[in-house]
Amino acid sequence: MLNRIFKLNDNKTNISTEISSGMITFFSMSYILVVNPAILSSVGVPLERVFTATILAILVGTLIMALAANYPIVVAPGMGLNSYFASVVAMTGINYKTILATCFIGGVIFVFLSATKFREALIDAIPSNLKYGISVAIGLFITFIGLKNSGIIVSNKATILALGKLGQPMAYLTILGIIIILILLVLEVKGAIFIGMVIIAVISYFMGLLKINKIFGMPKFDFSFVYNPITESMNVFQLGLYGIVFAFLMVTLFDTTGTMIAVANQAGLIKNDKIVRAKNVLLADSIATTVGALFGTSPTTAFIESSSGVANGGKTGLTSLTTAFLVFISIFIYPLASSLVSVSAITSPALIIIGSFMMVNISKMEWNDITESFPAFSTIIGIPLTGSINDGIAFGFIFYVILKITKRQWKDIHPLMYLFSILFLIQLIWLHS
């Protein structure tokens, strides 16, 4: 039966390989069950709601990916997107429910774009250098958050930032966690990030930093929406939060698409330069984003950690279905997860190392042409230094159009880039005047 559903023979794989690959993917990406609630609860989203919403979003997106698209890809709340969500709430002072509504609106638009050809047109409109620059910038942003949360980097009036007190437990445990995870990665140990987090959690427990009163239990399930989507959506329009909606939409769009292409290519699922069953694949993350936003989490994306399962031989939806099953079981360890988020040294190493993974795209960038390099550079420094993915992307778009027009390279500018640049310029002037 499983062979027929997932076409195992056609994909030259078997049940044991697919299940073991799904388990490896789970251990590689399971840190999100702790990190995502830690980040979002820090700005007021109830911890229980984030935990259950995270699991619900993973299940919705991954089950669609497994059963409708037959892909070994897991969908989960994206790293970087959750940090951006938290920074928007913190910097604007706007209620988290309204910001969740921006995610919901972006998700609805995302579903529409995924069901039509317009999503492909949007992707084609953005220059490759800017796509790579956005990924690199988000990596720096994630790393910076990990360094700040752990106390390795602190604020300083004279120098803006400075090295923190490394003798503090959170700082040196974070450094230890980084070293452990890096060693495991060098040794090519599957689930290195997860294992590293477990080791630091155990050390924190014996040091008295981690208090665990209970391991197993059920969170208080509340399947009502976190907010009234109609009321909060109206608030989004009244406050003019179009830029935030656009930022969530754009980052999710490119992050997800890039990951899908990379993993699908690794699994041999790209035929004649086309993604097989593309529409179902694209709909998985957009539907999960919309559902997750209603229940209390930031936008979802295809998880790059899916590549760990593919590397083990996973080629079909049975791999992602196995991961989804293990994520479902995780519901019963809510008390443990809620305790783990209280120790930043457990989650900070994951943030820092995942940020480093995203630096790979800098080698693919064009640096010899200033009309290509400076827009990407402005995005790379703009996102981490402003603490806003939205503003960093805006700088890149605007500079790209200005420089290309100046050099009279009209053909290099996609018509949609003009529209995006104008919208970004209005948004920057409006929100920062």
Side-chain angles (χ1 to χ4, degrees), residues 373-394:
S373 62
F374 191 83
F377 170 74
S378 65
T379 295
I380 291 172
I381 64 169
I383 288 177
L385 293 184
T386 63
S388 169
I389 295 175
N390 180 59
D391 292 344
I393 293 176

Side-chain angles (χ1 to χ4, degrees), residues 359-371:
M359 294 297 102
V360 67
N361 286 311
I362 204 165
S363 65
K364 304 174 184 177
M365 296 173 65
E366 169 62 56
W367 291 105
N368 295 323
D369 182 351
I370 195 169
T371 65

Side-chain angles (χ1 to χ4, degrees), residues 122-315:
L122 277 175
I123 296 169
D124 292 339
I126 311 302
S128 296
N129 240 39
L130 276 178
K131 292 177 185 176
Y132 296 140
I134 291 170
S135 179
V136 171
I138 294 173
L140 289 174
F141 187 32
I142 292 172
T143 298
F144 180 71
I145 290 172
L147 293 170
K148 284 283 289 181
N149 288 348
S150 63
I152 295 176
I153 296 295
V154 296
S155 299
N156 184 285
K157 291 183 178 180
T159 60
I160 303 177
L161 296 173
L163 189 64
K165 296 180 180 179
L166 301 185
Q168 294 295 318
M170 292 303 162
Y172 66 71
L173 282 176
T174 296
I175 294 172
L176 177 61
I178 293 171
I179 293 172
I180 291 172
I181 293 173
L182 288 176
I183 290 174
L184 294 173
L185 288 170
V186 169
L187 296 175
E188 299 183 359
V189 175
K190 304 298 184 183
I193 292 177
F194 175 79
I195 294 171
M197 291 176 66
V198 170
I199 292 173
I200 295 302
V202 171
I203 294 173
S204 300
Y205 177 78
F206 285 108
M207 289 178 63
L209 299 173
L210 176 61
K211 309 292 184 182
I212 300 177
N213 298 318
K214 191 178 179 182
I215 295 178
F216 299 103
M218 289 284 287
K220 296 177 181 178
F221 283 110
D222 183 356
F223 288 106
S224 62
F225 297 153
V226 177
Y227 56 92
N228 184 315
I230 297 176
T231 301
E232 293 300 336
S233 293
M234 291 299 295
N235 288 337
V236 170
F237 295 122
Q238 289 175 2
L239 293 172
L241 304 179
Y242 309 111
I244 296 174
V245 173
F246 185 70
F248 277 127
L249 176 61
M250 294 301 292
V251 177
T252 306
L253 175 65
F254 295 122
D255 189 26
T256 297
T257 303
T259 301
M260 285 181 178
I261 291 173
V263 178
N265 187 60
Q266 182 185 7
L269 295 169
I270 294 183
K271 309 294 183 183
N272 300 319
D273 294 326
K274 297 288 184 181
I275 297 178
V276 180
R277 299 177 296 280
K279 183 173 289 187
N280 292 338
V281 174
L282 299 177
L283 281 171
D285 61 308
S286 55
I287 293 174
T289 288
T290 307
V291 172
L294 288 172
F295 288 94
T297 188
S298 50
T300 61
T301 181
F303 246 46
I304 191 62
E305 285 77 5
S306 302
S307 62
S308 63
V310 173
N312 186 65
K315 295 181 179 180

